[in-house]
Amino acid sequence: MSKKAKKSAPRAMPKLASKGPRKTATKGPASELNDHTAERIANALEAIAHHLSAAAPDADASEQLAAADAFVWHPDGRLSKVPRVSRVEIFLLKGIDRMRDILIENTERFANGLPANNALLWGARGMGKSSLVKAAHASINLDRKPADRLKLIEIHREDIESLPALMEVLRASDFRFIVFCDDLSFDGNDASYKSLKAVLEGGIEGRPENVILYATSNRRHLLAREMIENERSTAINPGEAVEEKVSLSDRFGLWLGFHRCSQDEYLAMVRGYCDHFGIKIGDEELEREALEWSTTRGSRSGRVAWQFTQELAGRLGVRLTGK
Protein backbone atom coordinates (compact mmCIF):
# COMPACT_ATOMS: atom_id res chain seq x y z
CA MET A 1 0.00 0.00 0.00
CA SER A 2 2.82 2.35 0.80
CA LYS A 3 4.58 1.63 -2.53
CA LYS A 4 1.41 2.37 -4.55
CA ALA A 5 0.97 5.65 -2.70
CA LYS A 6 4.51 6.65 -3.55
CA LYS A 7 4.03 5.80 -7.23
CA SER A 8 0.69 7.59 -7.65
CA ALA A 9 1.66 10.74 -5.80
CA PRO A 10 4.52 11.73 -8.10
CA ARG A 11 2.35 11.17 -11.21
CA ALA A 12 -0.47 13.36 -9.95
CA MET A 13 1.61 16.29 -8.65
CA PRO A 14 3.55 17.17 -11.85
CA LYS A 15 0.35 17.26 -13.91
CA LEU A 16 -1.30 19.72 -11.54
CA ALA A 17 1.82 21.79 -11.30
CA SER A 18 2.42 21.86 -15.06
CA LYS A 19 -1.11 22.90 -16.08
CA GLY A 20 -1.44 25.83 -13.73
CA PRO A 21 1.81 27.72 -14.31
CA ARG A 22 1.83 27.17 -18.10
CA LYS A 23 -1.53 28.89 -18.54
CA THR A 24 -0.68 31.86 -16.37
CA ALA A 25 2.83 32.25 -17.76
CA THR A 26 2.05 32.14 -21.49
CA LYS A 27 -1.44 33.62 -21.80
CA GLY A 28 -0.62 37.17 -20.59
CA PRO A 29 2.41 37.95 -22.81
CA ALA A 30 0.81 36.37 -25.89
CA SER A 31 -2.32 38.43 -25.44
CA GLU A 32 -0.31 41.63 -24.96
CA LEU A 33 1.77 40.82 -28.04
CA ASN A 34 -1.32 40.25 -30.17
CA ASP A 35 -2.89 43.49 -28.96
CA HIS A 36 0.29 45.40 -29.74
CA THR A 37 0.53 43.89 -33.22
CA ALA A 38 -3.12 44.68 -33.94
CA GLU A 39 -2.57 48.28 -32.83
CA ARG A 40 0.47 48.64 -35.08
CA ILE A 41 -1.46 47.24 -38.04
CA ALA A 42 -4.35 49.61 -37.36
CA ASN A 43 -2.00 52.60 -37.16
CA ALA A 44 -0.29 51.57 -40.39
CA LEU A 45 -3.63 51.24 -42.21
CA GLU A 46 -4.74 54.59 -40.88
CA ALA A 47 -1.53 56.23 -42.11
CA ILE A 48 -1.96 54.67 -45.56
CA ALA A 49 -5.57 55.87 -45.73
CA HIS A 50 -4.47 59.35 -44.70
CA HIS A 51 -1.83 59.54 -47.44
CA LEU A 52 -4.25 58.25 -50.05
CA SER A 53 -6.90 60.80 -49.08
CA ALA A 54 -4.32 63.57 -49.08
CA ALA A 55 -3.20 62.61 -52.57
CA ALA A 56 -6.73 62.51 -53.98
CA PRO A 57 -7.37 66.30 -53.97
CA ASP A 58 -4.01 66.93 -55.68
CA ALA A 59 -4.97 64.65 -58.54
CA ASP A 60 -8.18 66.60 -59.09
CA ALA A 61 -6.74 70.06 -58.34
CA SER A 62 -5.78 70.98 -61.91
CA GLU A 63 -9.16 69.99 -63.31
CA GLN A 64 -10.95 71.77 -60.50
CA LEU A 65 -8.99 75.00 -60.97
CA ALA A 66 -9.62 74.95 -64.71
CA ALA A 67 -13.38 74.73 -64.14
CA ALA A 68 -13.82 78.34 -62.94
CA ASP A 69 -12.05 81.67 -62.48
CA ALA A 70 -13.02 82.21 -58.84
CA PHE A 71 -13.05 80.04 -55.73
CA VAL A 72 -13.57 80.28 -51.98
CA TRP A 73 -10.99 78.56 -49.77
CA HIS A 74 -12.10 76.46 -46.80
CA PRO A 75 -9.64 75.57 -44.00
CA ASP A 76 -10.35 71.85 -44.41
CA GLY A 77 -8.55 72.01 -47.77
CA ARG A 78 -11.52 72.52 -50.11
CA LEU A 79 -11.80 75.09 -52.89
CA SER A 80 -15.45 75.89 -53.63
CA LYS A 81 -16.11 77.03 -57.18
CA VAL A 82 -17.87 80.40 -57.65
CA PRO A 83 -19.70 80.22 -61.00
CA ARG A 84 -20.67 83.90 -60.99
CA VAL A 85 -18.75 86.54 -59.06
CA SER A 86 -20.82 89.34 -57.51
CA ARG A 87 -19.11 92.39 -58.98
CA VAL A 88 -19.53 95.81 -60.57
CA GLU A 89 -18.18 96.66 -64.01
CA ILE A 90 -14.95 98.58 -63.66
CA PHE A 91 -16.16 101.60 -65.68
CA LEU A 92 -18.92 102.11 -63.09
CA LEU A 93 -16.42 102.71 -60.27
CA LYS A 94 -16.21 106.48 -59.96
CA GLY A 95 -13.97 108.71 -57.86
CA ILE A 96 -11.17 106.16 -57.53
CA ASP A 97 -9.47 106.59 -60.89
CA ARG A 98 -5.91 106.79 -59.57
CA MET A 99 -6.26 103.69 -57.36
CA ARG A 100 -7.97 101.84 -60.22
CA ASP A 101 -5.16 102.54 -62.68
CA ILE A 102 -2.42 101.53 -60.20
CA LEU A 103 -4.11 98.27 -59.25
CA ILE A 104 -4.90 97.37 -62.87
CA GLU A 105 -1.27 97.95 -63.88
CA ASN A 106 0.05 95.89 -60.96
CA THR A 107 -2.39 93.04 -61.70
CA GLU A 108 -1.57 93.03 -65.39
CA ARG A 109 2.16 92.81 -64.71
CA PHE A 110 1.55 89.86 -62.41
CA ALA A 111 -0.69 88.15 -64.98
CA ASN A 112 2.09 88.50 -67.56
CA GLY A 113 4.65 86.86 -65.27
CA LEU A 114 6.43 90.09 -64.33
CA PRO A 115 7.28 91.25 -60.79
CA ALA A 116 4.32 92.75 -58.91
CA ASN A 117 3.49 93.74 -55.34
CA ASN A 118 1.02 92.48 -52.79
CA ALA A 119 -1.61 95.20 -52.36
CA LEU A 120 -3.43 96.59 -49.32
CA LEU A 121 -6.52 98.64 -50.14
CA TRP A 122 -7.43 100.60 -47.02
CA GLY A 123 -9.67 103.49 -46.08
CA ALA A 124 -13.27 104.65 -45.90
CA ARG A 125 -16.13 102.16 -45.85
CA GLY A 126 -18.11 101.58 -49.02
CA MET A 127 -15.68 103.32 -51.37
CA GLY A 128 -15.19 100.34 -53.67
CA LYS A 129 -12.11 98.58 -52.28
CA SER A 130 -13.37 95.01 -52.70
CA SER A 131 -15.32 95.99 -55.82
CA LEU A 132 -12.10 97.23 -57.40
CA VAL A 133 -10.28 93.95 -56.71
CA LYS A 134 -13.06 91.89 -58.31
CA ALA A 135 -13.43 94.32 -61.22
CA ALA A 136 -9.66 94.33 -61.86
CA HIS A 137 -9.62 90.53 -61.92
CA ALA A 138 -12.47 90.45 -64.45
CA SER A 139 -10.97 93.14 -66.68
CA ILE A 140 -7.58 91.39 -66.85
CA ASN A 141 -9.25 88.12 -67.87
CA LEU A 142 -11.44 89.72 -70.51
CA ASP A 143 -9.36 88.78 -73.57
CA ARG A 144 -7.20 86.01 -72.16
CA LYS A 145 -7.16 82.37 -73.21
CA PRO A 146 -8.44 79.86 -70.63
CA ALA A 147 -4.92 78.65 -69.78
CA ASP A 148 -3.73 82.23 -69.15
CA ARG A 149 -6.64 83.45 -67.03
CA LEU A 150 -6.04 84.65 -63.51
CA LYS A 151 -7.76 82.78 -60.69
CA LEU A 152 -9.31 84.69 -57.81
CA ILE A 153 -9.22 82.81 -54.47
CA GLU A 154 -11.09 84.37 -51.55
CA ILE A 155 -9.98 83.47 -48.03
CA HIS A 156 -12.10 84.59 -45.11
CA ARG A 157 -10.59 86.62 -42.32
CA GLU A 158 -11.21 83.88 -39.73
CA ASP A 159 -9.35 81.33 -41.88
CA ILE A 160 -6.07 83.27 -42.14
CA GLU A 161 -4.24 80.67 -40.06
CA SER A 162 -4.80 78.15 -42.88
CA LEU A 163 -3.09 80.45 -45.41
CA PRO A 164 0.14 78.38 -45.49
CA ALA A 165 -1.93 75.30 -46.39
CA LEU A 166 -3.55 77.23 -49.25
CA MET A 167 -0.11 78.27 -50.49
CA GLU A 168 0.90 74.60 -50.67
CA VAL A 169 -2.14 73.82 -52.83
CA LEU A 170 -1.50 76.72 -55.22
CA ARG A 171 2.28 76.39 -55.43
CA ALA A 172 2.12 73.29 -57.62
CA SER A 173 -0.37 74.75 -60.12
CA ASP A 174 0.41 76.22 -63.53
CA PHE A 175 -2.21 78.95 -63.06
CA ARG A 176 -1.58 82.34 -61.47
CA PHE A 177 -3.66 83.38 -58.47
CA ILE A 178 -4.89 86.46 -56.66
CA VAL A 179 -5.54 85.45 -53.05
CA PHE A 180 -8.06 87.97 -51.75
CA CYS A 181 -9.06 88.70 -48.15
CA ASP A 182 -11.83 91.24 -47.61
CA ASP A 183 -12.09 93.37 -44.47
CA LEU A 184 -8.81 92.14 -42.99
CA SER A 185 -8.06 93.28 -39.44
CA PHE A 186 -6.90 91.86 -36.12
CA ASP A 187 -8.15 92.48 -32.59
CA GLY A 188 -7.24 91.60 -29.02
CA ASN A 189 -4.85 88.69 -28.57
CA ASP A 190 -5.37 87.36 -32.09
CA ALA A 191 -2.01 85.96 -33.19
CA SER A 192 -3.12 84.65 -36.58
CA TYR A 193 -1.54 87.71 -38.21
CA LYS A 194 1.80 85.92 -37.84
CA SER A 195 0.71 83.37 -40.46
CA LEU A 196 0.05 86.24 -42.85
CA LYS A 197 3.42 87.85 -42.11
CA ALA A 198 5.27 84.62 -42.87
CA VAL A 199 3.52 84.23 -46.21
CA LEU A 200 3.95 87.85 -47.28
CA GLU A 201 7.67 87.98 -46.47
CA GLY A 202 10.05 86.34 -44.07
CA GLY A 203 8.97 82.69 -44.17
CA ILE A 204 11.47 80.08 -45.27
CA GLU A 205 9.36 79.22 -48.33
CA GLY A 206 7.86 82.65 -48.86
CA ARG A 207 5.07 83.48 -51.26
CA PRO A 208 4.86 81.26 -54.35
CA GLU A 209 5.78 83.04 -57.58
CA ASN A 210 2.34 82.31 -59.02
CA VAL A 211 0.48 83.91 -56.09
CA ILE A 212 -0.18 87.53 -55.16
CA LEU A 213 -2.15 88.75 -52.14
CA TYR A 214 -4.74 91.53 -52.20
CA ALA A 215 -6.44 92.61 -48.97
CA THR A 216 -8.93 95.32 -48.03
CA SER A 217 -9.23 96.95 -44.64
CA ASN A 218 -10.67 100.01 -42.95
CA ARG A 219 -7.37 100.26 -41.03
CA ARG A 220 -4.09 101.29 -42.52
CA HIS A 221 -2.09 99.15 -40.10
CA LEU A 222 -4.66 96.29 -39.88
CA LEU A 223 -4.52 96.35 -36.06
CA ALA A 224 -6.86 98.08 -33.61
CA ARG A 225 -5.39 101.12 -31.86
CA GLU A 226 -6.07 99.61 -28.43
CA MET A 227 -4.18 96.48 -29.52
CA ILE A 228 -1.11 98.55 -30.34
CA GLU A 229 -1.44 100.64 -27.16
CA ASN A 230 -1.72 97.47 -25.08
CA GLU A 231 1.52 96.16 -26.59
CA ARG A 232 3.19 99.48 -25.80
CA SER A 233 2.08 99.48 -22.16
CA THR A 234 2.80 95.84 -21.29
CA ALA A 235 5.93 94.96 -23.26
CA ILE A 236 9.43 95.01 -21.79
CA ASN A 237 10.56 96.91 -24.85
CA PRO A 238 7.47 98.82 -26.06
CA GLY A 239 9.10 100.08 -29.24
CA GLU A 240 9.99 96.60 -30.48
CA ALA A 241 6.56 95.18 -29.62
CA VAL A 242 4.72 97.92 -31.52
CA GLU A 243 7.15 97.62 -34.42
CA GLU A 244 6.29 93.91 -34.76
CA LYS A 245 2.56 94.70 -34.96
CA VAL A 246 2.85 97.63 -37.36
CA SER A 247 5.30 95.79 -39.63
CA LEU A 248 2.46 93.61 -40.93
CA SER A 249 1.08 96.30 -43.23
CA ASP A 250 4.63 97.20 -44.29
CA ARG A 251 4.87 93.82 -45.98
CA PHE A 252 2.32 94.89 -48.56
CA GLY A 253 4.38 96.60 -51.22
CA LEU A 254 1.42 98.56 -52.57
CA TRP A 255 -0.80 100.75 -50.38
CA LEU A 256 -3.90 102.26 -51.93
CA GLY A 257 -5.84 104.74 -49.77
CA PHE A 258 -9.58 105.28 -50.26
CA HIS A 259 -11.22 108.39 -48.80
CA ARG A 260 -14.76 109.67 -48.53
CA CYS A 261 -16.04 111.02 -51.80
CA SER A 262 -17.28 114.53 -52.51
CA GLN A 263 -20.88 115.35 -53.35
CA ASP A 264 -20.05 115.68 -57.05
CA GLU A 265 -18.33 112.27 -57.07
CA TYR A 266 -21.30 110.72 -55.28
CA LEU A 267 -23.75 112.15 -57.82
CA ALA A 268 -21.49 110.97 -60.67
CA MET A 269 -21.72 107.43 -59.27
CA VAL A 270 -25.52 107.61 -59.13
CA ARG A 271 -25.79 108.98 -62.67
CA GLY A 272 -23.38 106.32 -63.95
CA TYR A 273 -25.53 103.54 -62.49
CA CYS A 274 -28.76 105.05 -63.85
CA ASP A 275 -27.33 105.44 -67.35
CA HIS A 276 -25.95 101.89 -67.34
CA PHE A 277 -29.18 100.26 -66.21
CA GLY A 278 -31.52 102.49 -68.20
CA ILE A 279 -33.26 104.17 -65.26
CA LYS A 280 -35.19 107.10 -66.65
CA ILE A 281 -35.65 110.06 -64.30
CA GLY A 282 -35.19 113.83 -64.53
CA ASP A 283 -31.75 115.04 -63.51
CA GLU A 284 -33.02 117.55 -60.96
CA GLU A 285 -35.27 114.97 -59.34
CA LEU A 286 -32.47 112.40 -59.40
CA GLU A 287 -30.05 114.79 -57.71
CA ARG A 288 -32.58 115.82 -55.05
CA GLU A 289 -33.52 112.24 -54.16
CA ALA A 290 -29.92 111.03 -54.23
CA LEU A 291 -28.76 113.76 -51.84
CA GLU A 292 -31.72 113.14 -49.55
CA TRP A 293 -30.84 109.43 -49.50
CA SER A 294 -27.21 110.11 -48.60
CA THR A 295 -28.32 112.46 -45.82
CA THR A 296 -30.52 109.78 -44.26
CA ARG A 297 -27.63 107.30 -44.51
CA GLY A 298 -25.21 109.73 -42.91
CA SER A 299 -22.51 109.28 -45.57
CA ARG A 300 -21.64 109.51 -49.24
CA SER A 301 -19.90 106.53 -50.83
CA GLY A 302 -20.09 104.13 -53.73
CA ARG A 303 -22.04 101.69 -51.55
CA VAL A 304 -24.63 104.34 -50.66
CA ALA A 305 -24.91 105.29 -54.35
CA TRP A 306 -25.54 101.65 -55.27
CA GLN A 307 -28.12 101.22 -52.52
CA PHE A 308 -29.97 104.31 -53.74
CA THR A 309 -29.86 102.97 -57.29
CA GLN A 310 -31.46 99.72 -56.17
CA GLU A 311 -34.17 101.63 -54.31
CA LEU A 312 -34.87 103.85 -57.33
CA ALA A 313 -34.87 100.96 -59.81
CA GLY A 314 -37.25 98.93 -57.64
CA ARG A 315 -39.62 101.87 -57.26
CA LEU A 316 -39.65 102.54 -61.01
CA GLY A 317 -39.95 98.87 -61.94
CA VAL A 318 -36.57 98.62 -63.67
CA ARG A 319 -34.63 95.35 -63.55
CA LEU A 320 -30.88 95.67 -62.94
CA THR A 321 -29.97 93.23 -65.69
CA GLY A 322 -27.05 95.19 -67.04
CA LYS A 323 -24.83 94.22 -64.12
Side-chain angles (χ1 to χ4, degrees):
M1 293 296 290
S2 61
K3 291 182 179 179
K4 289 183 180 179
K6 289 180 181 179
K7 288 182 179 179
S8 59
R11 290 179 184 174
M13 291 301 291
K15 288 182 181 180
L16 292 173
S18 63
K19 285 183 180 180
R22 282 180 188 171
K23 287 184 179 180
T24 56
T26 58
K27 186 175 180 181
S31 177
E32 292 176 4
L33 183 61
N34 290 336
D35 291 344
H36 181 63
T37 303
E39 184 180 356
R40 290 179 60 187
I41 293 173
N43 291 338
L45 290 173
E46 185 178 352
I48 293 171
H50 175 74
H51 287 299
L52 289 176
S53 62
D58 294 337
D60 299 335
S62 58
E63 294 181 7
Q64 183 183 11
L65 291 170
D69 287 341
F71 300 85
V72 174
W73 165 257
H74 300 277
D76 60 1
R78 290 182 298 114
L79 283 169
S80 297
K81 182 173 64 174
V82 181
R84 183 177 181 272
V85 177
S86 176
R87 61 180 177 83
V88 176
E89 298 292 344
I90 198 164
F91 63 85
L92 291 174
L93 299 176
K94 308 292 184 181
I96 55 172
D97 296 355
R98 178 176 173 275
M99 286 74 76
R100 177 199 63 202
D101 294 343
I102 293 174
L103 190 67
I104 287 287
E105 182 182 354
N106 190 71
T107 308
E108 191 166 15
R109 287 204 306 264
F110 172 71
N112 292 331
L114 298 173
N117 276 308
N118 301 311
L120 174 63
L121 291 71
W122 67 274
R125 303 188 313 272
M127 280 305 298
K129 299 184 293 294
S130 59
S131 295
L132 179 56
V133 172
K134 292 182 285 187
H137 168 252
S139 66
I140 294 297
N141 277 347
L142 197 57
D143 298 320
R144 288 182 175 268
K145 298 177 181 179
D148 298 331
R149 295 172 73 86
L150 281 179
K151 306 296 179 179
L152 182 65
I153 311 290
E154 182 177 18
I155 181 171
H156 296 139
R157 155 67 191 88
E158 58 271 19
D159 298 330
I160 283 295
E161 283 187 329
S162 67
L163 190 57
L166 173 59
M167 295 298 103
E168 283 302 307
V169 173
L170 303 184
R171 192 184 300 272
S173 177
D174 293 330
F175 290 107
R176 301 183 75 77
F177 302 91
I178 300 174
V179 174
F180 170 52
C181 184
D182 191 24
D183 197 19
L184 180 63
S185 61
F186 300 92
D187 294 298
N189 296 320
D190 189 352
S192 60
Y193 72 92
K194 294 182 179 180
S195 299
L196 180 59
K197 285 178 66 174
V199 170
L200 288 171
E201 285 181 26
I204 189 170
E205 287 186 303
R207 171 173 58 90
E209 292 183 0
N210 63 332
V211 176
I212 199 169
L213 285 95
Y214 286 176
T216 69
S217 178
N218 296 330
R219 302 170 183 165
R220 182 174 182 177
H221 291 297
L222 301 176
L223 306 168
R225 182 178 296 274
E226 58 268 20
M227 187 176 178
I228 297 177
E229 292 300 329
N230 183 61
E231 288 291 334
R232 181 179 284 114
S233 62
T234 59
I236 296 176
N237 190 328
E240 290 182 0
V242 174
E243 184 67 22
E244 180 187 2
K245 301 285 186 182
V246 174
S247 68
L248 174 59
S249 56
D250 289 343
R251 302 193 181 204
F252 289 91
L254 192 61
W255 286 9
L256 298 177
F258 290 69
H259 308 285
R260 293 186 61 183
C261 62
S262 65
Q263 178 173 299
D264 290 341
E265 289 172 333
Y266 167 72
L267 291 173
M269 295 173 188
V270 172
R271 292 189 178 101
Y273 284 135
C274 289
D275 291 342
H276 180 65
F277 295 113
I279 301 174
K280 305 297 182 183
I281 185 175
D283 192 65
E284 290 185 4
E285 185 180 1
L286 175 65
E287 181 175 326
R288 177 179 57 80
E289 291 193 17
L291 292 177
E292 182 180 351
W293 179 272
S294 68
T295 301
T296 61
R297 298 289 296 176
S299 66
R300 293 189 297 264
S301 68
R303 181 179 297 147
V304 173
W306 173 242
Q307 291 168 345
F308 169 71
T309 303
Q310 292 184 101
E311 164 67 20
L312 184 62
R315 180 154 40 90
L316 297 178
V318 179
R319 296 184 181 275
L320 302 179
T321 55
K323 186 179 177 182

